[in-house]
Amino acid sequence: MTPDDPDVAFVLEAFQAFEVQEGTLEEYYGRFWAPDGVIEFVDGFPISGSYRGLDGYKQWFADSYAPYENVERRLDSITKEGDQVVALLTVTGRPKDEDIDLEVQLGNTYEVADGRIKHLRVYVGHERAVAAARGD
């Protein structure tokens, strides 16, 4: 994937850096996120609510990943819809101490401003994220 749009290329770089766990959460956030960046779970899954700033980002990470093991995120596609970057993912993992494997399709929309992620919205299902980015 070699995107032509600079916002798409930036979000792709952020996704790839997250996957290989480059540096600390603070370093990652400082490199890719606006100081008051927001993560919002529009459909209330896998958690509900929104998180703001570095402290919110660290809390999001704990809330999202601590209950699970073997979490893997596969990037199915990344495109630009209007002024938003849309990343469609398939996420797999297992709740800790359980023998059930989970798989869910998530769609993320990213607002990028001044070379940083300003707002990430997480939707359940690929179609939901694309429709939201298009204003449907």
Side-chain angles (χ1 to χ4, degrees):
M1 248 182 249
T2 55
D4 294 329
D5 184 274
D7 289 346
V8 173
F10 180 75
V11 171
L12 179 59
E13 180 185 356
F15 184 89
Q16 292 168 336
F18 183 87
E19 292 303 301
V20 296
Q21 308 277 320
E22 289 182 359
T24 66
L25 285 179
E26 292 85 357
E27 291 168 338
Y28 177 85
Y29 189 87
R31 180 175 170 195
F32 293 105
W33 284 81
D36 61 346
V38 175
I39 300 172
E40 178 182 357
F41 289 86
V42 178
D43 295 329
F45 181 87
I47 52 182
S48 62
S50 63
Y51 300 81
R52 181 178 299 275
L54 175 59
D55 289 338
Y57 185 84
K58 292 195 286 189
Q59 186 62 54
W60 160 79
F61 188 85
D63 292 349
S64 295
Y65 287 92
Y68 302 97
E69 59 189 7
N70 300 326
V71 175
E72 293 185 22
R73 301 178 330 148
R74 182 184 75 221
L75 182 62
D76 297 319
S77 71
I78 186 166
T79 59
K80 187 89 176 255
E81 296 289 341
D83 60 353
Q84 296 185 55
V85 176
V86 178
L88 304 179
L89 314 165
T90 300
V91 181
T92 58
R94 174 183 307 192
K96 288 185 177 173
D97 302 323
E98 293 190 29
D99 289 333
I100 186 166
D101 291 323
L102 303 175
E103 179 177 293
V104 64
Q105 289 186 331
L106 299 176
N108 294 345
T109 63
Y110 295 84
E111 291 177 29
V112 177
D114 299 322
R116 296 286 182 268
I117 298 168
K118 179 179 178 180
H119 202 128
L120 161 60
R121 290 176 180 87
V122 179
Y123 298 86
V124 176
H126 291 171
E127 298 79 19
R128 288 264 302 128
V130 173
R134 290 180 178 163
D136 296 345

